[in-house]
Amino acid sequence: MGAANGTNMTVILAFLVMIIALALWWLLQQGVMSKPWLETGPMDEAAGRSGFPVERLGLGVFLVVIGSLFALFGSAFIMRMDLEIWPSLTLPPVVWINTALLVIASIFLRLATRRSDTRRLTRDTTIAGLATGGFLVGQLLAWRELQVVGDGLASGPAASFFYMLSGLHGLHILGGILALGVLIARSGGDPVRTKFNVGLCATYWDFLLVVWIGLLLLFMGLANQLLDICRTILT
Amino acid sequence: MANIPYRPDEQVPPAEVPDVHPPHPHTWIGRWVFSQDAKYIAIQYSATAIAIGLVALVLSWLVRLQLGFPDVFSFSAEAYYQFITMHGMIMVIYLLTAIFLGGFGNYLIPLMVGARDMVFPFVNMLSYWVYLLAVLVLVASFFVPGGPTGAGWTLYPPQAILSGTPGGQDAGIILMLLSLILFIIGFTMGGLNYVVTVLQARTRGMTLMRMPLTVWGIFTATVMALLAFPALFVACVMMLFDRLLSTSFFMPTLVEMGEQLSYGGGSPIVFQHLFWFFGHPEVYIVALPAFGIVSDLISVHARKNVFGYRMMVWAIVIIGALSFIVWAHHMYVSGMHPYFGFFFATTTLIIAVPTAIKVYNWLLTLWRGDIHLTLPMLFALSFVVTFVNGGLTGLFLGNVVVDVPLSDTMFVVAHFHMVMGVAPLMVIFGAIYHWYPLMTGRMLNEAMGQIHFWVTFIGTYAIFFPMHYVGLVGVPRRYPEIGDPAFITTPVDGLNAFISIAAFIVGAAQILFLFNIAWSARNGRDAGGNPWRAASLEWQTPQTPPRHGNWADELPVVYRWAYDYSVPGAPEDFIAQDDPWVQQTAPT
């Protein structure tokens, strides 16, 4: 039981330290040293409100929540791994094609936000949407391939984690596709709004790409090696 | 007082964020049922939370019937476990969390920061309906074969999903986990709103350091909840996989009834880490809004500014941050390396420092104040007392060596109920007495309120003080009946019966309170716009109760903090936050 003694909430703790440091850094600029009991007047400078539009800030907070979610899954994975050495999963090759598709989707969404004419914006967004759809289909194929070689859901911890985490990640992607559709429909053809809304989705896609790469590192067993290296350096 | 006066001719700068008027619904359903107005959503949240809370209250009566009179009322052990599990789960999550954040958060944040509504009203509405769905799924578990889960509110595996636990191999545990997952999804939608509204929708002049402490408490608690609830989500999803899809995330190799189960290799300890990573911050998710609200109640009803406002804000933030590194103090008896025990005991005790700062500041706010013993003030004072009492036993339990023998006794139950049950409930009651006039335009009936307060205050002490003793004597918790074991040298049967009777009386007083709420909505004394003569912004709305959109055509401009009470030279004993009054002659 030695290892599971709270040492290995590393991933989530690192994530939290990052968030808390960011929050404190931000707070320190908000006049926390001011003496409100001595100060009267409208004194409205920019104090407090960030320059972001509310939608962007809302998305940012949401991404922190998703980040916390996957960091916790990562912690659970590593804690579980410390108890039992299991062979890392042989990832089906289609996973690499999927990863490439997700990268392509991310790039094209970014490109779309830089387009000034509506036609090319629509084209790039469509390509991104299709690539993302391809990613989801590819993930289903990966599940099929795993089942064929006998790595079913309950066949072992590595496979269980793979199905669960890729499934949840896929659900988030699916939600993103829905949001993209709704946001474009609600933009009503207004190019400025469309661009802004696609920009929100681009951020979301980038974030989920980073999460996916993090998950791949976990599944390949590389994350543990990285942690081990860090631990060796620290001790 | 105001020794850095502004020039009255100073121009009010233009609004930084455009004033967006929320859409006005025209249908009855749009206005009352699928309302996107945070005030209605708040009332929907509170009503649902109180309704499900009543179920939990009845469950606690059943528990006390069993413990107090085991010879007369003999429930099966399975039923008893179901009672305590559902009582705990409902009270902590579906009542306390929902009412502080979904109820008070929704009602007070937009009004206190001078916004017309939450920034994402549609998402806010969805948040309530998902919460309601979570509650309904929870209620459904009472009616499925096998009944609700009896795994204890911590739902520890492996027992939670085995056949020996009520609901473990039936639908009970599945519905419980689904309900929690829904609750977290619903909360996240609301939480996004609270955070972004505080960050972005404050009116002109409302700097962060001018926000009432209530907003600070709810805001910090929401940030914590957004970071901590995912841990419960992860634990629930993984346990659902173990239960439904035969994975072994938490399930070790097991033999049940002589039969080897298909599980193997999983770790229940991983669940405990995830659960308490959520579970401890959860205590402060409930406590921080309570701290904030109490600060405001004490200041208003003692007609004095909050002592050490800055320190109060910092303490809230520091408690929030620290509460993430104490979780393993719930796991001393799960076995751990002594150094980790030392670490977690130290962080746990360090939290007492900012908490004590808050208690001293409340006392110093009262010191030489013009104390009005109104109902909100009575409840606020009883909170301070109860919180100190409950907190002190927390110091006992925070020490590893003291915790180990006490951990599984009624002492922990008493500690927990004092600090996390009674104390926050006192704040909820105080807050309802305080803001009910704002919500309805009428005062709650004073006589019924006095009876409610005194019965609740004295009654809860009659319940939980003796319970500490019962625990010290050695009575273990979680047992429906202990008979006459040799290790309990002092019989506590009489004491248990006494506690039970007190519990029934306290419970009955809450029914009087609910009656008061319903009765006063029509028959209460007219409250006027600002019955407590409070300075904070929510009382300065053009109409009481505030209409849709909260403010008149222009958003208010804030000129001062929320605590200008008894300012020398001011025309009244409070100066509203949106009052541009300035001291004309320099004080000599």
Side-chain angles (χ1 to χ4, degrees):
Chain A
M1 287 308 223
N5 275 334
T7 40
N8 271 331
M9 296 289 270
T10 327
V11 182
I12 181 64
L13 284 179
F15 180 80
L16 267 185
V17 166
M18 211 173 70
I19 297 296
I20 290 176
L22 202 71
L24 287 183
W25 170 80
W26 173 82
L27 260 185
L28 284 177
Q29 303 172 10
Q30 304 306 313
V32 283
M33 299 302 287
S34 66
K35 298 177 174 163
W37 53 93
L38 295 180
E39 297 157 353
T40 48
M43 55 181 282
D44 204 69
E45 53 306 340
R49 288 186 221 104
S50 60
F52 294 120
V54 280
E55 290 85 357
R56 195 147 267 289
L57 193 66
L59 176 67
V61 177
F62 185 52
L63 292 186
V64 169
V65 177
I66 301 180
S68 162
L69 181 75
F70 280 100
L72 279 155
F73 272 119
S75 281
F77 185 95
I78 290 171
M79 270 194 285
R80 177 77 170 72
M81 191 151 213
D82 267 352
L83 295 174
E84 178 194 16
I85 305 301
W86 73 64
S88 55
L89 200 65
T90 324
L91 292 175
V94 68
V95 162
W96 302 111
I97 301 174
N98 298 345
T99 310
L101 280 172
L102 201 55
V103 173
I104 290 170
S106 240
I107 291 173
F108 270 89
L109 271 186
R110 270 280 152 236
L111 281 179
T113 58
R114 307 236 164 112
R115 299 295 183 203
S116 42
D117 67 311
T118 322
R119 204 178 51 81
R120 292 169 94 185
L121 195 156
T122 317
R123 187 199 63 192
D124 287 353
T125 314
T126 317
I127 294 176
L130 289 176
T132 316
F135 170 82
L136 287 178
V137 175
Q139 294 289 75
L140 288 178
L141 287 179
W143 284 7
R144 269 270 305 271
E145 279 182 41
L146 276 178
Q147 296 221 304
V148 169
V149 295
D151 284 331
L153 178 62
S155 64
S160 301
F161 270 111
F162 181 79
Y163 283 98
M164 181 176 66
L165 292 179
S166 58
L168 272 172
H169 179 263
L171 279 180
H172 279 88
I173 293 270
L174 199 63
I177 294 180
L178 284 177
L180 181 62
V182 170
L183 284 177
I184 287 181
R186 278 182 46 189
S187 307
D190 175 6
V192 180
R193 278 195 67 183
T194 315
K195 224 163 134 175
F196 175 76
N197 285 340
V198 171
L200 292 178
C201 292
T203 310
Y204 184 72
W205 253 253
D206 291 348
F207 186 80
L208 283 186
L209 177 64
V210 171
V211 168
W212 176 243
I213 290 170
L215 291 179
L216 277 180
L217 289 178
L218 271 187
F219 296 138
M220 293 190 303
L222 289 178
N224 304 37
Q225 287 174 18
L226 268 179
L227 274 180
D228 278 342
I229 293 169
C230 292
R231 243 176 258 159
T232 332
I233 294 170
L234 281 177
T235 50
Chain B
M1 184 67 204
N3 59 2
I4 311 180
Y6 71 104
R7 295 192 318 277
D9 56 341
E10 194 178 334
Q11 284 292 312
V12 177
E16 192 183 343
V17 180
D19 179 10
V20 187
H21 286 262
H24 279 269
H26 296 294
T27 57
W28 184 85
I29 288 186
R31 196 171 297 169
W32 297 102
V33 184
F34 294 104
S35 176
Q36 298 187 23
D37 187 326
K39 296 188 292 297
Y40 291 110
I41 296 173
I43 291 168
Q44 289 173 322
Y45 248 114
S46 309
T48 312
I50 290 173
I52 192 71
L54 281 179
V55 174
L57 177 74
V58 171
L59 289 172
S60 74
W61 277 347
L62 297 177
V63 169
R64 280 321 309 183
L65 278 177
Q66 168 70 41
L67 289 176
F69 312 98
D71 305 328
V72 189
F73 301 91
S74 199
F75 298 105
S76 67
E78 283 79 15
Y80 178 82
Y81 294 139
Q82 290 170 329
F83 298 159
I84 57 169
T85 303
M86 297 315 270
H87 166 78
M89 201 56 114
I90 291 173
M91 286 296 194
V92 170
I93 307 228
Y94 298 86
L95 174 67
L96 288 177
T97 311
I99 206 168
F100 271 123
L101 302 181
F104 292 117
N106 264 318
Y107 205 94
L108 296 175
I109 289 175
L111 282 166
M112 282 186 157
V113 303
R116 293 206 182 273
D117 206 325
M118 290 287 181
V119 287
F120 309 119
F122 180 76
V123 180
N124 205 20
M125 176 192 77
L126 274 188
S127 158
Y128 167 70
W129 289 98
V130 176
Y131 164 66
L132 181 66
L133 185 64
V135 170
L136 291 179
V137 171
L138 182 85
V139 170
S141 77
F142 283 96
F143 301 102
V144 293
T149 175
W153 86 277
T154 53
L155 303 177
Y156 275 8
Q159 54 91 15
I161 56 176
L162 293 178
S163 60
T165 301
Q169 279 297 307
D170 300 304
I173 184 74
I174 299 173
L175 291 177
M176 180 78 252
L177 295 172
L178 278 178
S179 171
L180 285 173
I181 288 173
L182 283 171
F183 180 91
I184 294 164
I185 293 173
F187 168 75
T188 306
M189 295 179 185
L192 286 179
N193 259 303
Y194 316 151
V195 170
V196 180
T197 303
V198 169
L199 290 181
Q200 208 75 338
R202 277 172 285 129
T203 188
R204 280 173 289 168
M206 182 62 85
T207 60
L208 276 183
M209 294 303 275
R210 278 179 176 176
M211 295 195 305
L213 287 166
T214 300
V215 179
W216 268 107
I218 294 175
F219 172 67
T220 314
T222 306
V223 173
M224 290 169 61
L226 286 175
L227 291 170
F229 267 119
L232 183 64
F233 188 92
V234 168
C236 287
V237 168
M238 287 166 78
M239 181 136 63
L240 215 49
F241 267 66
D242 278 4
R243 168 68 179 76
L244 290 175
L245 304 167
S246 311
T247 55
S248 299
F249 292 120
F250 302 136
M251 301 298 280
T253 311
L254 280 167
V255 176
E256 189 183 41
M257 308 282 204
E259 211 178 308
Q260 165 98 42
L261 299 183
S262 64
Y263 297 117
S267 164
I269 302 279
V270 175
F271 177 89
Q272 293 189 13
H273 278 296
L274 289 172
F275 184 86
W276 289 115
F277 191 80
F278 144 79
H280 197 82
E282 166 68 20
V283 174
Y284 291 96
I285 289 165
V286 171
L288 290 184
F291 290 170
I293 290 172
V294 152
S295 312
D296 283 357
L297 296 191
I298 289 182
S299 170
V300 173
H301 296 273
R303 314 307 299 162
K304 208 176 139 214
N305 61 45
V306 159
F307 185 91
Y309 172 85
R310 261 197 311 186
M311 206 63 94
M312 293 297 248
V313 171
W314 296 347
I316 285 179
V317 173
I318 290 169
I319 291 172
L322 277 180
S323 69
F324 277 100
I325 47 167
V326 298
W327 79 89
H329 70 210
H330 294 272
M331 297 163 61
Y332 290 152
V333 290
S334 302
M336 64 173 69
H337 192 289
Y339 283 134
F340 292 119
F342 176 73
F343 172 79
F344 284 109
T346 311
T347 52
T348 302
L349 298 184
I350 287 176
I351 282 206
V353 175
T355 315
I357 288 177
K358 298 196 78 73
V359 174
Y360 287 125
N361 282 356
W362 289 324
L363 295 183
L364 289 166
T365 305
L366 289 167
W367 176 253
R368 305 188 69 177
D370 177 11
I371 298 175
H372 293 53
L373 287 177
T374 54
L375 284 164
M377 185 62 148
L378 287 174
F379 278 104
L381 294 177
S382 70
F383 163 81
V384 176
V385 176
T386 310
F387 188 75
V388 170
N389 280 328
L392 285 177
T393 49
L395 291 182
F396 287 41
L397 295 170
N399 285 293
V400 187
V401 282
V402 188
D403 179 64
V404 169
L406 285 176
S407 182
D408 274 323
T409 68
M410 295 301 275
F411 189 87
V412 172
V413 180
H415 155 74
F416 178 83
H417 278 85
M418 279 299 241
V419 81
M420 178 117 177
V422 180
L425 274 177
M426 290 295 186
V427 178
I428 289 174
F429 291 140
I432 291 177
Y433 282 102
H434 184 78
W435 280 298
Y436 185 86
L438 180 65
M439 296 180 186
T440 62
R442 291 179 187 280
M443 306 295 284
L444 280 165
N445 181 283
E446 176 81 14
M448 279 193 262
Q450 290 281 348
I451 297 173
H452 175 228
F453 170 73
W454 288 106
V455 174
T456 306
F457 181 57
I458 297 173
T460 46
Y461 276 76
I463 299 170
F464 295 112
F465 259 5
M467 200 182 282
H468 285 96
Y469 176 73
V470 171
L472 279 176
V473 168
V475 176
R477 60 178 166 145
R478 300 198 186 93
Y479 285 68
E481 198 180 347
I482 53 163
D484 253 334
F487 62 87
I488 295 171
T489 44
T490 330
V492 289
D493 301 342
L495 214 47
N496 262 333
F498 171 79
I499 293 174
S500 293
I501 291 169
F504 304 140
I505 296 172
V506 170
Q510 310 319 311
I511 292 163
L512 179 70
F513 169 64
L514 292 180
F515 173 75
N516 193 357
I517 287 185
W519 186 84
S520 299
R522 277 183 178 279
N523 309 307
R525 188 160 54 80
D526 190 22
N530 188 355
W532 311 116
R533 294 174 299 135
S536 48
L537 212 50
E538 82 273 21
W539 295 100
Q540 321 305 334
T541 52
Q543 294 95 10
T544 308
R547 298 259 176 85
H548 188 63
N550 292 350
W551 310 99
D553 294 337
E554 283 255 350
L555 285 173
V557 179
V558 167
Y559 292 88
R560 60 192 71 248
W561 69 335
Y563 301 103
D564 266 348
Y565 292 105
S566 312
V567 177
E572 284 187 87
D573 77 335
F574 73 100
I575 312 175
Q577 272 192 288
D578 60 346
D579 184 345
W581 180 83
V582 65
Q583 189 111 35
Q584 289 304 331
T585 48
T588 48

